[in-house]
Amino acid sequence: MGENRVLEGRRIVVGVSGGIAAYKVCALVSRLVQDGAQVRVMMTPSGERFVGPVTFRSLTGRPVAVDQWTDLHETGAHIALAQFAELMVIAPATSNTLAKLANGLCDNLVTTTVAAARGPVLLAPAMNDHMWTNPVLQANVARLQGLGYEFVMPGEGRLACGESGVGRMAEPNTIRESILRILGARGGGALAGKRVTITSGPTREWLDPVRFISNPSSGKMGAALAQVAASRGAEVLLISGPGAALPAASVDTIAVESAEEMLRAVEAHLPGTDVFIGAAAVADYRPEEYAAQKRKKSATPLELRLQPTPDILQSVAQSDSRPAVVVGFAAETGDPEAEARAKLERKGLDLIVANDLTQPGAGFCADTNEALILGSRGQREAVSCRPKLEVAKVVLDQVEKLLEESSGGREAG
Ligand code: CTP
């Protein structure tokens, strides 16, 4: 697809906060409109002081959203805009706006809409160089990056305040390049239009009203996968056990408790799913009997009979509605490669991500992970210890390759 066609029809919400670089955003919006994108502009009150909404109204041919109470939709302007946006671009993103986003504040239409985002959010900071190097601002940027926000970093040069240094907002063309990259328009965007279902976190198998069997899974790996898949244009459903981490980009989420409930939720959403990723640490056993009344303590040993829970991953891989790609995880303490390969074959998976729990920085609760990805077609990729978000990107790269191969195969056949 030619570069001039890739933004056609794409739904982009541009948020303008209060910096002089707002004048450059007029050129960006104009270009996106010429590219055929459907562009909506929202502004903070300070943004409006630099460029009037009439300018953006004229460039986009659409009303500009300037306050939370603008009646765009029965659910409120912020939700209507968030539902509309395949991508949000905040340009310029001032120090103040970045600080608010890093802390979840929702005090104007732009910050509130970002809080409700369902897809990727691209931030284009612009400010004085001393503000840019301020450690508080840098900590906010690092926090936002860690949460999966995309950045197009400021460049160096003469600043509007008369000083020279880093802080100049990236040029409209550079921001547009980032937009092209994120929307997956250039690289083929293998996950655009794909449905990805991910299980995440622990399950709880209750013994009585106050006790359960569970494990320390944090759900961070599942959240990272959901985040990256959403940023690559996938329609993501995250089926999460209790207390599991949620991704920064809001994706559809179903909260479940037990393995049985997780299985039911997965089965209900399996038809139409292209990729299934079992990142949940599903309890392998549940108490055979649930006691409706709290079990009383006694001096004699308590014996519990446990029954195996359904293997969700295996039932997905062997289902009539089997997704094109099924990915499992294997948390191992023995020989990870051999154990994971056996699991890959036994469960009928396309890919398995093995974590060696004996390695520092791998496994439960950690923010990092080290992994070995094995595939049913002999793929083998070792991923050194890195943030879970980065591990998720490598896993999804492998998923994309399989999707490309399977659609190529279908076309050829
Ligand atoms: N899994 C699942 N349902 C279960 C158990 C596991 O969907 N009841 C999934 C996990 O989400 C993970 C993979 O299966 O993707 C591996 O889980 P694991 O517990 O390591 O595998 P088991 O088959 O239980 O093997 P073992 O406990 O013997 O290592």
Side-chain angles (χ1 to χ4, degrees):
M1 194 185 281
E3 194 188 84
N4 55 349
R5 300 269 325 263
V6 292
L7 292 177
E8 222 167 79
R10 306 305 287 269
R11 301 183 310 275
I12 302 171
V13 170
V14 177
V16 181
S17 67
I20 181 56
Y23 86 91
K24 292 204 247 177
V25 179
C26 302
L28 172 68
V29 165
S30 166
R31 181 63 210 265
L32 296 175
V33 170
Q34 287 171 50
D35 285 326
Q38 300 181 52
V39 186
R40 304 273 187 281
V41 176
M42 56 182 179
M43 305 182 79
T44 66
S46 319
E48 274 188 88
R49 291 182 172 245
F50 286 90
V51 176
V54 174
T55 304
F56 289 114
R57 169 97 178 71
S58 309
L59 289 169
T60 61
R62 304 283 314 184
V64 172
V66 290
D67 78 272
Q68 275 162 290
W69 319 112
T70 307
D71 188 26
L72 278 182
H73 190 271
E74 63 205 18
T75 55
H78 60 301
I79 301 297
L81 282 166
Q83 277 171 342
F84 171 83
E86 276 179 77
L87 170 69
M88 285 187 204
V89 183
I90 310 304
T94 59
S95 176
N96 189 34
T97 292
L98 292 170
K100 290 179 196 176
L101 297 182
N103 290 285
L105 265 68
C106 300
D107 66 339
N108 61 42
L109 182 62
V110 171
T111 51
T112 310
T113 306
V114 172
R118 288 147 191 246
V121 179
L122 173 66
L123 303 169
M127 64 200 72
N128 164 273
D129 58 335
H130 292 285
M131 292 170 82
W132 175 248
T133 50
N134 184 312
V136 177
L137 178 278
Q138 285 298 321
N140 287 333
V141 169
R143 174 138 205 248
L144 289 163
Q145 280 181 308
L147 289 168
Y149 286 84
E150 302 273 354
F151 275 83
V152 51
M153 290 301 182
E156 195 169 352
R158 209 190 76 82
L159 303 168
C161 54
E163 295 189 30
S164 253
V166 177
R168 247 171 102 111
M169 189 180 78
E171 293 304 314
N173 220 6
T174 313
I175 300 176
R176 180 175 169 273
E177 290 287 319
S178 295
I179 293 172
L180 284 165
R181 177 182 55 77
I182 294 168
L183 286 178
R186 263 184 158 178
L191 294 181
K194 299 290 179 194
R195 276 185 54 189
V196 177
T197 300
I198 301 170
T199 63
S200 180
T203 63
R204 272 182 195 168
E205 312 301 330
W206 290 88
L207 283 88
D208 70 14
V210 296
R211 303 180 183 92
F212 55 77
I213 297 175
S214 192
N215 62 65
S217 166
S218 62
K220 286 178 184 168
M221 195 60 229
L225 286 159
Q227 168 97 20
V228 175
S231 78
R232 293 183 183 187
E235 192 186 316
V236 181
L237 174 65
L238 188 66
I239 300 176
S240 270
L246 292 176
S250 74
V251 299
D252 287 337
T253 306
I254 297 177
V256 294
E257 284 227 322
S258 65
E260 275 290 345
E261 271 178 46
M262 189 173 270
L263 176 67
R264 278 202 297 274
V266 166
E267 281 176 348
H269 295 89
L270 207 51
T273 293
D274 299 287
V275 179
F276 177 83
I277 306 179
V282 185
D284 285 328
Y285 293 93
R286 63 171 176 78
E288 191 170 75
E289 270 175 39
Y290 172 75
Q293 301 296 322
K294 183 182 164 193
R295 288 172 197 264
K296 287 290 176 195
K297 179 171 62 183
S298 87
T300 54
L302 171 68
E303 277 189 24
L304 280 177
R305 250 181 92 80
L306 302 177
Q307 285 292 341
T309 55
D311 191 315
I312 300 165
L313 182 61
Q314 186 157 343
S315 87
V316 168
Q318 292 169 4
S319 127
D320 290 341
S321 324
R322 188 191 195 281
V325 179
V326 179
V327 185
F329 275 74
E332 306 293 353
T333 52
D335 174 353
E337 182 153 3
E339 310 247 17
R341 191 158 288 286
K343 215 167 272 185
L344 174 86
E345 281 162 20
R346 189 174 73 246
K347 298 197 187 193
L349 312 177
D350 300 293
L351 290 173
I352 194 155
V353 185
N355 305 124
D356 183 348
L357 291 184
T358 61
Q359 293 300 310
F364 289 139
C365 298
D367 288 320
T368 55
N369 215 349
E370 182 181 308
L372 180 64
I373 306 174
L374 301 171
S376 60
R377 302 179 185 185
Q379 308 95 306
R380 185 184 188 281
E381 182 169 3
V383 188
S384 59
C385 189
R386 62 190 75 180
K388 285 184 170 168
L389 215 54
E390 298 303 315
V391 178
K393 289 181 186 168
V394 184
V395 173
L396 286 161
D397 286 347
Q398 289 280 358
V399 167
E400 286 188 12
K401 272 190 215 154
L402 286 173
L403 282 173
E404 274 165 33
E405 282 169 28
S406 73
S407 66
R410 264 204 304 278
E411 276 156 27

